[in-house]
Amino acid sequence: ESRLQRLLEHLPDLVFRLRLGPRPTLEFVSPSSKVLLEYWPSELVGDERAIERIVHADDREQFLRLHELPPRTGRKLRFQARDGQQVWMELRVAPVETGDGAVIEGVARDVTQSHHAELQSRRLLAAIEQAAEAVVVTDSAGLVEYVNPAYRHTSGITERDALGKPWHELEVRKDTAFLRKLSAALARGEVWQGRIQSERTNGARYDEDATLAPIRDELGQQVGCVAVKRDVTDQLALEE
């Protein structure tokens, strides 16, 4: 019991035991509640209003129905700390047979940072998907990893035909001067800006203003390249 207590004191996750009726009441809360939610376990255990205080109102019903999920299924819900700050938790629970009412035991892990990072990534992807500029992302070997709808619209090359292919073999293959400049710039880890000449799948040539930049990992190593391109063919024709 002493070893188990020491283990719980060092766990960053919130371990709890909840009796569901007649009113949901916490029977056990691990010491991590002080760090995660700014409540001591003694402030939550036995308090019939504890769930109202620590589980977000919009997610409270889902929290009290976690035991109905299939085994080993996680659910991400919002908790709230004493200061009102929202804390996203990923929960996994299991029902416990006690003979005197429904009880669940579970573990809640703080995933607030990863949740916000995921949300930010989804927003960024939505913005890129809706952008008028064509976007191409390659890996360090120059193989295409991503193209947005605008790229497919301007080049005529579908995502399926582009992914995994060397970018220099696609719509920019005939602009050899650009390819030489691109290779030199990326070798030096520089951003390149300029005008390039591309070719659609039907053979039509078109001009684009492009910006290409290296993509680096957290160690500063170059792991790919991103190109943002805008078709300026009509604009050039009007200027002419």
Side-chain angles (χ1 to χ4, degrees), residues 6-53:
R6 285 199 302 272
L7 175 63
L8 289 175
E9 288 175 356
H10 290 89
L11 271 180
D13 299 340
L14 182 70
V15 181
F16 63 92
R17 178 184 174 97
L18 175 69
R19 184 170 295 277
L20 294 174
R23 290 199 62 179
T25 307
L26 290 164
E27 295 185 336
F28 173 82
V29 177
S30 63
S32 57
S33 64
K34 180 58 181 171
V35 175
L36 295 173
L37 302 173
E38 300 178 359
Y39 288 102
W40 290 104
S42 57
E43 296 180 89
L44 302 174
V45 172
D47 184 351
E48 294 183 348
R49 297 190 60 190
I51 300 303
E52 296 179 13
R53 286 192 283 159

Side-chain angles (χ1 to χ4, degrees), residues 167-180 196-206:
W167 184 41
H168 66 268
E169 294 180 3
L170 298 175
E171 84 286 357
V172 293
R173 61 188 180 279
K174 292 190 176 180
D175 195 339
T176 54
F178 157 71
L179 292 173
R180 286 195 299 270
I196 64 177
Q197 193 168 71
S198 303
E199 183 176 313
R200 295 187 173 90
T201 51
N202 62 7
R205 305 291 286 271
Y206 62 104

